[in-house]
Amino acid sequence: MSGIASQGALKDRRTFLAIGGAVAALFPIAGIALAETRHPHSVAAENRSGTKEAARTYKTSQTAAALRDVWIGHIFWVRAMSAAAIDKNELAMKVAEQQAVANARSIADTIEPFYGSAAKDSFFKLLAGHYGAVKAYLVATVAGDGSGQSTATEALTNNAGAIATFLSKANPHLPKDAVQGLLLAHGSHHIQQIQQLMDRKYDAEAQTWEEMKKHVYQIADATADALAKQFAKRFA
């Protein structure tokens, strides 16, 4: 990878960190214990014992678990596609890309029961835009194209704003600035992971994976909690 492209990648990473750094203040879910699928009485018991986790009904916990599953699928297949592209394994890349697109449809499907098929289709287009920007960044990184990295980073940033606008309009319990902060941090993880895979820094990438996993769990849990607040009767 050229020195110019490496410098561009570092700039892109710093840009995302700077913009997304306010997420803890805007949407303080990072310190909340991650949800598990368990009986609501156990959640209540933990609350009485002093944990900071907000009480969740059983249905909310189930929803959070389902959302975690599809979001884990997102980062898994994007990572698989990235590794295949860097290793120039076209067959593996094709399969991973097919799965990544199918996963985006699965994520979009999760909102249909609440907001309808038109909203699902709109959400899928936005998720496809997220994936497309990540792929564009990957392709530019493999090619050592610093300008392409910057263009892809801008697309990823704009897409985060578009998704945040869409979700905040659908659900008042998902503030735009907070959601945008979460998505910018998520985009930063993609950039960092691609760079580390490209540079063969596998130990560092393993740590990034753990951070990505915890972060998408936060996205999933925040979404489940927001749905439970907006559709309280359905989650009782």
Side-chain angles (χ1 to χ4, degrees):
M1 185 175 184
S2 68
I4 294 177
S6 296
Q7 292 173 8
L10 181 59
K11 179 181 178 181
D12 296 334
R13 167 71 173 160
R14 287 174 175 171
T15 298
F16 267 85
L17 287 174
I19 298 174
V23 64
L26 293 169
F27 206 165
I29 63 173
I32 297 175
L34 299 178
E36 296 177 1
T37 303
R38 56 189 183 276
H39 195 278
H41 293 312
S42 67
V43 176
E46 290 179 10
N47 290 336
R48 288 194 296 271
S49 68
T51 182
K52 294 182 180 180
E53 182 178 356
R56 288 191 177 99
T57 66
Y58 182 59
K59 290 181 180 179
T60 306
S61 294
Q62 284 185 312
T63 300
L67 289 171
R68 284 184 177 204
D69 187 57
V70 290
W71 275 101
I72 282 291
H74 166 64
I75 62 174
F76 176 86
W77 288 114
V78 170
R79 185 196 183 282
M81 191 266 294
S82 299
I86 291 168
D87 291 340
K88 303 188 186 314
N89 186 332
E90 294 184 5
L91 178 59
M93 183 176 178
K94 179 181 179 180
V95 172
E97 185 164 27
Q98 290 173 341
Q99 293 298 319
V101 173
N103 170 264
R105 291 192 181 279
S106 294
I107 294 175
D109 286 345
T110 63
I111 74 167
E112 184 175 16
F114 304 97
Y115 305 111
S117 60
K120 175 194 70 174
D121 293 341
S122 296
F123 193 29
F124 173 71
K125 291 178 181 178
L126 290 169
L127 292 169
H130 168 74
Y131 170 77
V134 173
K135 182 182 177 182
Y137 189 90
L138 169 66
V139 171
T141 301
V142 173
D145 178 7
S147 176
Q149 287 177 318
S150 295
T151 299
T153 300
E154 182 178 1
L156 199 54
T157 302
N158 292 338
N159 176 262
I163 293 178
T165 297
F166 173 80
L167 292 177
S168 64
K169 286 183 178 179
N171 191 316
H173 303 288
L174 290 171
K176 179 182 175 181
D177 288 345
V179 175
Q180 187 170 4
L182 284 171
L183 293 172
L184 288 171
H186 174 64
S188 175
H189 283 142
H190 279 306
I191 288 175
Q192 179 169 278
Q193 182 181 62
I194 289 169
Q195 184 64 48
Q196 289 167 340
L197 288 171
M198 186 70 186
D199 294 341
R200 312 292 181 181
K201 295 180 178 179
Y202 299 120
D203 286 343
E205 192 273 328
Q207 180 58 41
T208 296
W209 170 260
E210 289 301 314
E211 293 172 2
M212 293 180 81
K213 182 172 66 174
K214 292 176 182 177
H215 191 73
V216 296
Y217 283 174
Q218 291 175 8
I219 293 173
D221 291 355
T223 303
D225 288 341
L227 288 171
K229 289 178 181 178
Q230 188 178 23
F231 302 95
K233 292 182 179 180
R234 296 170 66 172
F235 284 85

Coordinates of all heavy atoms in Angstrom, one line a residue, residues 38-89:
R38 N -33.4 -13.6 28.5 CA -33.6 -14.3 29.8 C -35.0 -13.9 30.3 O -35.6 -13.0 29.8 CB -32.5 -14.0 30.8 CG -32.3 -12.6 31.1 CD -31.1 -12.4 31.9 NE -30.8 -11.0 32.3 CZ -30.2 -10.2 31.6 NH1 -29.8 -10.5 30.4 NH2 -30.0 -8.9 32.0
H39 N -35.4 -14.6 31.4 CA -36.7 -14.3 31.9 C -36.8 -12.9 32.6 O -35.8 -12.5 33.2 CB -37.1 -15.4 32.9 CG -38.6 -15.4 33.3 ND1 -39.1 -14.5 34.2 CD2 -39.6 -16.1 32.8 CE1 -40.4 -14.7 34.3 NE2 -40.7 -15.7 33.5
P40 N -37.8 -12.2 32.4 CA -37.9 -10.8 33.0 C -37.7 -10.7 34.5 O -37.2 -9.7 35.0 CB -39.3 -10.3 32.6 CG -40.1 -11.6 32.3 CD -39.1 -12.5 31.7
H41 N -38.0 -11.8 35.2 CA -37.8 -11.8 36.7 C -36.4 -11.7 37.0 O -36.0 -11.1 38.0 CB -38.5 -13.0 37.3 CG -40.0 -13.0 37.2 ND1 -40.7 -11.9 37.5 CD2 -40.8 -14.0 36.8 CE1 -42.0 -12.2 37.4 NE2 -42.1 -13.4 36.9
S42 N -35.5 -12.4 36.2 CA -34.1 -12.3 36.4 C -33.6 -10.9 36.2 O -32.7 -10.5 36.9 CB -33.4 -13.3 35.5 OG -33.4 -13.0 34.2
V43 N -34.1 -10.2 35.2 CA -33.7 -8.8 34.9 C -34.1 -8.0 36.1 O -33.3 -7.2 36.6 CB -34.4 -8.3 33.7 CG1 -34.1 -6.8 33.4 CG2 -34.0 -9.1 32.4
A44 N -35.3 -8.1 36.6 CA -35.7 -7.3 37.8 C -34.9 -7.6 39.0 O -34.5 -6.7 39.7 CB -37.2 -7.7 38.1
A45 N -34.5 -8.9 39.2 CA -33.6 -9.2 40.3 C -32.3 -8.5 40.2 O -31.7 -8.0 41.2 CB -33.5 -10.7 40.4
E46 N -31.7 -8.5 39.0 CA -30.5 -7.9 38.8 C -30.6 -6.4 39.1 O -29.7 -5.7 39.7 CB -29.9 -8.1 37.4 CG -29.5 -9.5 37.2 CD -29.0 -9.7 35.7 OE1 -28.9 -8.7 35.0 OE2 -28.9 -10.9 35.3
N47 N -31.7 -5.8 38.7 CA -31.9 -4.3 38.9 C -31.9 -4.0 40.4 O -31.3 -3.1 40.9 CB -33.2 -3.8 38.3 CG -33.1 -3.8 36.8 OD1 -32.0 -3.8 36.3 ND2 -34.2 -3.9 36.1
R48 N -32.5 -4.9 41.2 CA -32.6 -4.7 42.7 C -31.2 -4.9 43.3 O -30.9 -4.3 44.3 CB -33.5 -5.7 43.3 CG -35.0 -5.4 43.0 CD -35.9 -6.2 43.9 NE -35.8 -7.6 43.7 CZ -36.5 -8.3 42.8 NH1 -37.4 -7.7 42.0 NH2 -36.4 -9.6 42.7
S49 N -30.3 -5.6 42.6 CA -29.0 -5.9 43.2 C -28.0 -4.7 42.9 O -26.9 -4.8 43.3 CB -28.4 -7.2 42.6 OG -28.1 -7.1 41.2
G50 N -28.5 -3.7 42.1 CA -27.7 -2.6 41.9 C -27.0 -2.4 40.5 O -26.3 -1.5 40.3
T51 N -27.3 -3.3 39.6 CA -26.8 -3.2 38.3 C -27.3 -1.9 37.6 O -28.4 -1.5 37.9 CB -27.0 -4.4 37.4 OG1 -26.4 -4.2 36.1 CG2 -28.5 -4.6 37.2
K52 N -26.6 -1.4 36.6 CA -27.1 -0.2 35.9 C -28.0 -0.6 34.7 O -28.5 0.3 34.0 CB -25.9 0.6 35.4 CG -25.0 1.2 36.5 CD -23.9 2.0 35.9 CE -23.1 2.6 37.0 NZ -21.9 3.4 36.5
E53 N -28.2 -1.8 34.4 CA -29.0 -2.2 33.2 C -30.4 -1.8 33.4 O -31.0 -2.1 34.5 CB -28.9 -3.7 33.0 CG -29.7 -4.2 31.8 CD -29.6 -5.7 31.6 OE1 -28.8 -6.3 32.3 OE2 -30.2 -6.2 30.7
A54 N -31.0 -1.2 32.4 CA -32.4 -0.9 32.4 C -33.2 -2.1 32.3 O -32.9 -3.1 31.6 CB -32.7 0.1 31.3
A55 N -34.4 -2.1 33.0 CA -35.2 -3.3 33.0 C -35.8 -3.5 31.6 O -36.2 -2.6 30.9 CB -36.4 -3.1 34.0
R56 N -35.7 -4.8 31.1 CA -36.3 -5.1 29.8 C -37.3 -6.3 30.0 O -37.0 -7.2 30.8 CB -35.2 -5.6 28.9 CG -34.2 -4.5 28.4 CD -33.4 -5.1 27.2 NE -32.5 -4.0 26.7 CZ -31.3 -3.9 27.0 NH1 -30.7 -4.7 27.8 NH2 -30.6 -2.9 26.4
T57 N -38.4 -6.2 29.3 CA -39.3 -7.3 29.3 C -38.6 -8.5 28.5 O -37.7 -8.3 27.8 CB -40.6 -7.0 28.6 OG1 -40.4 -6.7 27.3 CG2 -41.2 -5.7 29.3
Y58 N -39.2 -9.6 28.7 CA -38.7 -10.8 28.0 C -38.8 -10.6 26.5 O -37.8 -10.9 25.7 CB -39.6 -12.0 28.4 CG -39.1 -13.3 27.7 CD1 -37.8 -13.8 27.9 CD2 -40.0 -14.1 26.9 CE1 -37.4 -15.0 27.4 CE2 -39.5 -15.3 26.3 CZ -38.3 -15.7 26.6 OH -37.8 -16.9 26.0
K59 N -39.9 -10.0 26.0 CA -40.0 -9.7 24.5 C -38.9 -8.8 24.0 O -38.4 -8.9 22.9 CB -41.4 -9.2 24.2 CG -42.5 -10.3 24.4 CD -43.8 -9.7 24.0 CE -44.9 -10.7 24.2 NZ -46.3 -10.2 23.8
T60 N -38.6 -7.8 24.9 CA -37.6 -6.8 24.5 C -36.2 -7.5 24.4 O -35.4 -7.2 23.5 CB -37.5 -5.6 25.5 OG1 -38.8 -5.1 25.6 CG2 -36.6 -4.6 25.0
S61 N -36.0 -8.3 25.4 CA -34.7 -9.1 25.4 C -34.6 -10.0 24.2 O -33.5 -10.1 23.6 CB -34.5 -9.9 26.7 OG -34.4 -9.0 27.8
Q62 N -35.7 -10.6 23.8 CA -35.7 -11.5 22.6 C -35.4 -10.7 21.4 O -34.7 -11.1 20.5 CB -37.0 -12.2 22.5 CG -37.2 -13.4 23.5 CD -38.5 -14.1 23.2 OE1 -39.6 -13.5 23.0 NE2 -38.5 -15.4 23.1
T63 N -36.0 -9.5 21.3 CA -35.8 -8.6 20.1 C -34.4 -8.2 20.0 O -33.8 -8.2 19.0 CB -36.8 -7.4 20.2 OG1 -38.1 -7.9 20.2 CG2 -36.6 -6.5 19.0
A64 N -33.8 -7.8 21.2 CA -32.4 -7.4 21.2 C -31.5 -8.5 20.7 O -30.6 -8.3 20.0 CB -32.0 -7.0 22.6
A65 N -31.8 -9.8 21.2 CA -31.0 -10.9 20.8 C -31.1 -11.2 19.3 O -30.1 -11.4 18.6 CB -31.4 -12.2 21.5
A66 N -32.3 -11.0 18.7 CA -32.5 -11.2 17.3 C -31.7 -10.1 16.5 O -31.1 -10.4 15.4 CB -34.0 -11.2 16.9
L67 N -31.8 -8.9 17.0 CA -31.1 -7.8 16.3 C -29.6 -8.0 16.4 O -28.9 -7.7 15.4 CB -31.6 -6.5 16.9 CG -33.0 -6.1 16.5 CD1 -33.4 -4.8 17.4 CD2 -33.1 -5.8 15.1
R68 N -29.1 -8.4 17.5 CA -27.7 -8.7 17.6 C -27.2 -9.7 16.6 O -26.2 -9.6 16.0 CB -27.4 -9.3 19.0 CG -27.4 -8.2 20.1 CD -27.0 -8.9 21.4 NE -26.9 -8.0 22.5 CZ -26.1 -8.2 23.6 NH1 -25.4 -9.3 23.7 NH2 -26.1 -7.3 24.6
D69 N -28.1 -10.7 16.4 CA -27.7 -11.8 15.5 C -27.5 -11.3 14.0 O -26.5 -11.6 13.4 CB -28.8 -12.9 15.5 CG -28.4 -14.1 14.7 OD1 -27.4 -14.7 14.9 OD2 -29.2 -14.5 13.8
V70 N -28.5 -10.4 13.6 CA -28.3 -9.9 12.2 C -27.2 -8.9 12.1 O -26.5 -8.8 11.1 CB -29.6 -9.3 11.7 CG1 -30.7 -10.4 11.5 CG2 -30.2 -8.2 12.6
W71 N -26.9 -8.1 13.1 CA -25.8 -7.2 13.1 C -24.5 -7.9 13.1 O -23.5 -7.4 12.5 CB -26.0 -6.1 14.2 CG -26.9 -5.0 13.8 CD1 -28.2 -4.8 14.2 CD2 -26.6 -3.9 12.9 NE1 -28.7 -3.7 13.6 CE2 -27.7 -3.1 12.8 CE3 -25.4 -3.5 12.3 CZ2 -27.7 -1.9 12.0 CZ3 -25.4 -2.4 11.5 CH2 -26.6 -1.6 11.4
I72 N -24.4 -9.0 13.9 CA -23.2 -9.7 13.9 C -22.9 -10.3 12.5 O -21.8 -10.4 11.9 CB -23.2 -10.9 14.9 CG1 -22.9 -10.3 16.3 CG2 -22.2 -12.0 14.6 CD1 -21.5 -9.9 16.5
G73 N -24.0 -10.7 11.8 CA -23.9 -11.2 10.4 C -23.3 -10.2 9.5 O -22.5 -10.4 8.6
H74 N -23.7 -8.9 9.7 CA -23.2 -7.8 8.9 C -21.7 -7.7 9.0 O -21.0 -7.7 8.0 CB -23.9 -6.5 9.3 CG -23.2 -5.3 8.8 ND1 -23.1 -5.0 7.5 CD2 -22.6 -4.3 9.5 CE1 -22.5 -3.8 7.3 NE2 -22.1 -3.4 8.5
I75 N -21.2 -7.6 10.2 CA -19.7 -7.4 10.3 C -19.0 -8.7 10.0 O -17.9 -8.6 9.5 CB -19.3 -6.9 11.7 CG1 -19.7 -7.9 12.8 CG2 -19.9 -5.5 12.0 CD1 -19.2 -7.4 14.2
F76 N -19.6 -9.8 10.2 CA -18.9 -11.1 9.8 C -18.7 -11.1 8.3 O -17.6 -11.4 7.8 CB -19.7 -12.3 10.2 CG -19.1 -13.6 9.8 CD1 -18.1 -14.2 10.5 CD2 -19.6 -14.2 8.6 CE1 -17.6 -15.4 10.1 CE2 -19.0 -15.4 8.2 CZ -18.0 -16.0 8.9
W77 N -19.8 -10.9 7.5 CA -19.7 -11.0 6.1 C -18.9 -9.9 5.4 O -18.2 -10.1 4.4 CB -21.0 -11.2 5.4 CG -21.6 -12.5 5.7 CD1 -22.7 -12.8 6.5 CD2 -21.1 -13.8 5.3 NE1 -22.9 -14.1 6.6 CE2 -22.0 -14.8 5.8 CE3 -20.0 -14.2 4.5 CZ2 -21.7 -16.1 5.6 CZ3 -19.8 -15.5 4.3 CH2 -20.7 -16.5 4.8
V78 N -18.9 -8.7 6.0 CA -18.1 -7.6 5.5 C -16.6 -7.9 5.7 O -15.8 -7.7 4.9 CB -18.5 -6.3 6.1 CG1 -17.5 -5.2 5.7 CG2 -19.9 -5.8 5.6
R79 N -16.3 -8.5 6.9 CA -14.9 -8.9 7.1 C -14.5 -10.0 6.2 O -13.4 -9.9 5.6 CB -14.8 -9.4 8.6 CG -13.3 -9.7 8.9 CD -13.1 -10.5 10.2 NE -11.7 -10.7 10.5 CZ -10.9 -11.6 9.8 NH1 -11.4 -12.3 8.9 NH2 -9.6 -11.7 10.2
A80 N -15.4 -11.0 5.9 CA -15.0 -12.0 5.0 C -14.8 -11.5 3.6 O -13.8 -11.9 2.9 CB -16.1 -13.1 5.0
M81 N -15.6 -10.6 3.2 CA -15.4 -10.0 1.9 C -14.1 -9.2 1.8 O -13.4 -9.2 0.8 CB -16.6 -9.1 1.6 CG -16.7 -8.6 0.1 SD -16.0 -7.0 -0.1 CE -17.1 -5.9 0.9
S82 N -13.8 -8.4 2.9 CA -12.6 -7.7 2.9 C -11.3 -8.5 2.8 O -10.4 -8.3 2.0 CB -12.5 -6.8 4.2 OG -13.6 -5.9 4.3
A83 N -11.3 -9.6 3.6 CA -10.2 -10.5 3.6 C -10.0 -11.2 2.2 O -8.9 -11.3 1.7 CB -10.4 -11.6 4.7
A84 N -11.1 -11.5 1.6 CA -11.1 -12.2 0.3 C -10.6 -11.2 -0.8 O -9.8 -11.6 -1.6 CB -12.5 -12.7 -0.1
A85 N -11.0 -10.0 -0.7 CA -10.5 -9.0 -1.7 C -9.1 -8.7 -1.5 O -8.3 -8.6 -2.5 CB -11.3 -7.7 -1.5
I86 N -8.6 -8.6 -0.3 CA -7.2 -8.4 -0.1 C -6.3 -9.5 -0.5 O -5.2 -9.4 -1.1 CB -6.9 -8.1 1.4 CG1 -7.5 -6.7 1.8 CG2 -5.4 -8.1 1.8 CD1 -7.6 -6.5 3.3
D87 N -6.8 -10.7 -0.4 CA -6.1 -12.0 -0.8 C -6.4 -12.3 -2.3 O -5.9 -13.3 -2.8 CB -6.5 -13.1 0.0 CG -6.0 -13.0 1.5 OD1 -5.1 -12.3 1.7 OD2 -6.6 -13.7 2.4
K88 N -7.2 -11.4 -2.9 CA -7.5 -11.6 -4.4 C -8.2 -13.0 -4.6 O -7.9 -13.6 -5.6 CB -6.3 -11.4 -5.2 CG -5.7 -10.0 -5.0 CD -4.6 -9.8 -6.0 CE -3.8 -8.5 -5.8 NZ -4.7 -7.3 -5.4
N89 N -9.1 -13.4 -3.7 CA -9.8 -14.6 -3.9 C -11.2 -14.2 -4.4 O -12.1 -13.9 -3.6 CB -9.9 -15.3 -2.5 CG -10.5 -16.7 -2.6 OD1 -11.4 -17.0 -3.5 ND2 -10.2 -17.6 -1.7

